[in-house]
């Protein structure tokens, strides 16, 4: 079983996690014999959290982006909100960047971020993942059933 920890802070934008939490929690497109995924939320407090963006900032504050490829809301964003940030030379101006198990995204990268996480976990067949990504990135109705066609019949799962 994979355990995914989601750091929840006051400024987390819930919609950024939508694609990946939906697919990893439901398991609807998981390949045969794929491991289950468990989600755990962590925070600095036990008080209720009012979310709206800013996770990559938290990683910068703890130095977790100082020596790994990453992205954010744009060049200069992390310096503006994290005075201890030292990862400028590792910053990549892309919607989502994967560096081993650390996968970061900017606000426009939630879909490709979800794709990179699902791919890293290996819980979808590669063709299922490509059809899934095509459907959500194009919105074409003909792509809706394509991921389902890659799965074995229910009795073979």
């Amino acid at each position: 079983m994979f355990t995914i920890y989601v750091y929840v802070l006051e400024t987390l934008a819930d919609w950024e996690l939508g694609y990946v939490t939906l697919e990893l929690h439901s398991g609807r497109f998981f390949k045969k014999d794929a491991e289950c995924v468990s989600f755990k939320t962590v925070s600095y407090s036990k008080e209720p959290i009012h979310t709206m963006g800013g996770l990559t900032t938290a990683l910068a504050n703890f130095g977790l982006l100082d020596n790994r490829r990453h992205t954010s809301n744009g060049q200069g964003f992390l310096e503006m909100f994290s005075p201890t940030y030292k990862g400028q030379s590792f910053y990549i101006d892309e919607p989502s960047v994967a560096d081993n198990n650390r996968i970061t995204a900017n606000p426009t990268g939630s879909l490709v971020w979800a794709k990179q996480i699902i791919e890293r976990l290996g819980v979808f067949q590669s063709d299922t993942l490509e059809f899934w990504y095509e459907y959500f990135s194009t919105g074409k109705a003909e792509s809706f059933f394509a991921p389902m066609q890659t799965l074995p019949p229910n009795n073979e799962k």
Side-chain angles (χ1 to χ4, degrees), residues 58-141:
L59 297 176
N61 287 338
F62 290 107
L64 299 175
L65 303 178
D66 288 352
N67 58 8
R68 302 280 290 276
R69 293 171 9 103
H70 63 278
T71 192
S72 181
N73 293 1
Q75 193 71 36
F77 174 82
L78 292 173
E79 291 93 340
M80 192 179 338
F81 293 99
S82 176
T84 60
Y85 173 66
K86 308 243 183 305
Q88 293 85 347
S89 64
F90 293 93
Y91 180 84
I92 310 288
D93 191 18
E94 293 288 332
S96 184
V97 173
D99 188 345
N100 293 316
N101 288 337
R102 188 157 309 142
I103 304 173
T104 56
N106 69 29
T108 67
S110 62
L111 180 60
V112 70
W113 183 68
K115 181 183 182 211
Q116 288 175 321
I117 291 170
I118 293 167
E119 183 175 49
R120 176 70 178 102
L121 293 173
V123 294
F124 283 21
Q125 294 177 173
S126 59
D127 57 345
T128 304
L129 181 58
E130 290 308 315
F131 286 132
W132 175 88
Y133 182 74
E134 180 182 329
Y135 173 65
F136 283 104
S137 62
T138 66
K140 294 181 181 175

Side-chain angles (χ1 to χ4, degrees), residues 19-37:
Y19 290 112
V20 72
T21 56
L22 165 71
E23 297 304 345
L24 295 179
H25 180 72
S26 74
R28 66 182 179 162
F29 294 126
F30 277 25
K31 64 185 179 184
K32 186 177 180 180
D33 300 324
E35 292 190 47
C36 293
V37 176

